[in-house]
Amino acid sequence: MTRMVKNVVASWEWVPLGKDKVGIIIPADQDHRQVHKSRFVDLLEFCDETMKVKEVIAVFGRADLTVAAGFPRTLRYVGFRVVAPENFPPTLDATTHFAMTYVV
């Protein structure tokens, strides 16, 4: 999984968020032009077909982000939706993170 994540952007990390969820840790200032789009699709397919997860959560280290700009806006176009603070996985703090979910 680490190799697949790093193939998209070298600075990205990942974390298991339960039995059928995985979190992709993305810098808050991620420039969409630095993301290998086909490798990102490959990562989502890997999560589905190999890891057998049902949900991929993009996690940003800033709670004040929105889908109006930046990489979260890009994720919205490929099917990611904002995670409401009350629905954050228990291991994530909604006061310090912004998260978007993609149901595989």
Side-chain angles (χ1 to χ4, degrees), residues 1-93:
M1 180 69 178
T2 300
R3 181 179 52 82
M4 293 298 294
V5 171
K6 298 281 187 191
N7 273 344
V8 179
V9 176
S11 63
W12 288 11
E13 302 289 336
W14 75 280
V15 60
L17 294 174
K19 179 182 169 190
D20 57 359
K21 293 180 186 178
V22 64
I24 307 298
I25 312 302
I26 302 172
D29 61 350
Q30 179 65 57
D31 184 337
H32 68 90
R33 294 170 293 194
Q34 297 172 338
V35 177
H36 295 278
K37 289 153 189 66
S38 63
R39 292 179 186 172
F40 185 70
V41 171
D42 291 345
L43 172 61
L44 294 177
E45 289 175 353
F46 180 80
C47 288
D48 178 25
E49 297 168 5
T50 304
M51 300 292 291
K52 304 294 185 200
V53 300
K54 294 183 175 32
E55 188 175 5
V56 176
I57 300 177
V59 181
F60 298 88
R62 272 183 44 200
D64 63 342
L65 294 178
T66 71
V67 295
F71 195 59
R73 181 178 178 178
T74 302
L75 289 179
R76 183 181 64 178
Y77 289 118
V78 295
F80 280 78
R81 299 292 172 247
V82 174
V83 177
E86 62 271 12
N87 294 329
F88 266 48
T91 55
L92 294 178
D93 182 357

